[in-house]
Amino acid sequence: MERSSERTRARGVETISLDKIAVRLIGIKYPWWRLIAGACVVVLAAIFASTQGTVDIPFMAVVKILISRLPGIAPASELPSTWDTILWQLRIPRVVLAAIVGGALAMSGAAYQGLFKNPLADPYLIGVASGAGLAATIVLLTGVPLVVFGISVLPIAAFAGGIGAVAAAYSIARSSQGTPLTTLILAGVAISSLAGAVSSLLMIRSDPDLRPVLSWLLGSFISAEWNESGIALLYLIPSLGIILGFARILNVLQFGEEHAVALGVSVEKVKLILIGMATLATATAVSFSGLIGFVGLVAPHVVRLVWGVDYRFILPMSGLVGATFLVLADLIARTAVSPAELPVGIVTAFCGAPFFLYILRRRRVRGI
């Protein structure tokens, strides 16, 4: 009896201590100044990327042209009109879309890492990439019209493929007892393998040039337009906004599902919402950019490494870091071998893989 009471008291002490830790973590003062600084870095990176290209445009000239586009501001007539055309029709739409995609992938990756409590989780963990890749491969290799009624079919197909793959994985993992995250990951891996095999079979049996397929699979912003950014934001603003709203609950989930339930969290509902919103954001990003790796994997790690583990801060700061990273990666992709262009996924892999190996080595040395 004495041993039983001692165990009960020990469990009570453990529960109380976890409660206190959770309350402290949730109630910590929010570092707004860091987010403001991060947003400024994104803007500066975007302006710098806009200055570089076949025609170099001075930094302050870009700033003046951007300001001249504001309502009530007179056009910068002293600057060449060709600069305005180059910036507003070619470079800035590309930079803006790269920032949007980078932010979406990074925030989705942070949400997945928090939900699965797995540092290796990324936005493509449960099948978005493979589903989108299969749909894009079908469109590009099977004679499906690329444009119908003036609308590009490729992003719509990629979006549907990504959503469909995750929906299939979720339906397989779902049971009457809930949705085990390990089962969901395994289902996603199986569906990814199947979709990848079908994509490879289509490429092997196809006669057309495979370069368009490979270019899409490795990611590119070469055809970015303003309307693509607008359409992407229609999906990303609500989905990423909902993810941000669950930041406190992600903090609680880090202590385990049982503890979260004890604190009144509906864990299964949270899983469904976060998986759905992160998948929607990832599928939207992929549909306009192709498959770009390492952004959603590396950016959250950078934030944790520098600023800690509070998901109220990790989520938005990951978005800013991801946006900056992808804007600069796209800059390298279009200038490194000019006048040719590299797929941006190659650049992110060259930059992201060594950093991630460093993180893994660091965790191993510390025994984490």
Side-chain angles (χ1 to χ4, degrees):
M1 291 291 292
E2 291 181 0
R3 291 182 180 178
S4 177
S5 61
E6 287 177 0
R7 290 174 184 171
T8 303
R9 285 196 297 271
R11 290 173 183 170
V13 169
E14 181 182 2
T15 302
I16 292 172
S17 63
L18 285 175
D19 286 341
K20 288 181 178 179
I21 292 171
V23 169
R24 289 176 183 174
L25 185 59
I26 293 171
I28 194 170
K29 187 176 179 181
Y30 199 79
W32 288 104
W33 66 270
R34 292 178 183 171
L35 289 183
I36 295 172
C40 291
V41 171
V42 174
V43 173
L44 290 174
I47 295 175
F48 173 72
S50 300
T51 66
Q52 304 299 305
T54 306
V55 177
D56 290 336
I57 302 175
F59 187 92
M60 290 309 301
V62 175
V63 174
K64 289 180 180 179
I65 291 173
L66 290 174
I67 293 175
S68 69
R69 289 281 178 166
L70 297 175
I73 304 296
S77 57
E78 74 277 8
L79 300 177
S81 60
T82 53
W83 288 2
D84 183 270
T85 302
I86 291 171
L87 287 174
W88 210 249
Q89 295 185 15
L90 298 175
R91 291 187 191 170
I92 295 178
R94 179 171 184 155
V95 168
V96 169
L97 185 60
I100 291 172
V101 169
L105 291 177
M107 286 185 65
S108 298
Y112 272 128
Q113 289 174 14
L115 180 63
F116 291 100
K117 296 189 288 292
N118 186 342
L120 298 178
D122 75 347
Y124 306 148
L125 180 65
I126 54 177
V128 173
S130 58
L134 174 58
T137 301
I138 291 172
V139 170
L140 291 170
L141 294 182
T142 59
V144 174
L146 294 179
V147 178
V148 177
F149 300 115
I151 300 174
S152 177
V153 174
L154 183 59
I156 297 174
F159 178 83
I163 294 291
V166 174
Y170 185 85
S171 63
I172 291 170
R174 179 75 175 170
S175 67
S176 59
Q177 286 76 36
T179 308
L181 295 179
T182 302
T183 306
L184 179 60
I185 293 173
L186 293 175
V189 170
I191 289 175
S192 296
S193 299
L194 177 61
V198 175
S199 299
S200 299
L201 178 62
L202 289 174
M203 286 188 280
I204 290 172
R205 293 179 60 85
S206 65
D207 293 328
D209 186 2
L210 292 179
R211 281 177 295 182
V213 180
L214 296 177
S215 177
W216 192 91
L217 292 176
L218 292 172
S220 175
F221 297 103
I222 193 170
S223 60
E225 298 178 357
W226 280 113
N227 66 324
E228 293 180 344
S229 296
I231 294 171
L233 288 175
L234 288 177
Y235 292 91
L236 293 177
I237 289 175
S239 59
L240 296 180
I242 291 172
I243 290 174
L244 285 172
F246 279 82
R248 291 175 181 268
I249 294 178
L250 278 173
N251 282 339
V252 175
L253 286 175
Q254 303 316 298
F255 299 103
E257 292 186 10
E258 293 182 0
H259 187 69
V261 171
L263 292 176
V265 176
S266 178
V267 174
E268 290 304 315
K269 184 178 180 181
V270 169
K271 287 180 186 178
L272 178 60
I273 293 174
L274 284 177
I275 290 171
M277 293 301 100
T279 299
L280 177 61
T282 303
T284 301
V286 165
S287 66
F288 291 111
S289 67
L291 307 183
I292 301 174
F294 284 99
V295 179
L297 189 63
V298 170
H301 280 284
V302 172
V303 177
R304 287 193 197 91
L305 187 66
V306 179
W307 290 295
V309 296
D310 185 353
Y311 274 89
R312 295 181 309 144
F313 182 67
I314 287 176
L315 289 171
M317 199 64 189
S318 293
L320 295 174
V321 171
T324 304
F325 175 40
L326 196 52
V327 165
L328 297 179
D330 182 57
L331 170 62
I332 295 172
R334 62 184 171 85
T335 58
V337 292
S338 181
E341 183 170 317
L342 293 172
V344 69
I346 292 178
V347 179
T348 59
F350 272 113
C351 297
F355 175 81
F356 193 66
L357 292 174
Y358 161 74
I359 292 294
L360 292 178
R361 175 65 179 174
R362 184 172 177 271
R363 289 171 63 87
R364 181 171 176 268
V365 170
R366 291 190 173 191
I368 298 176

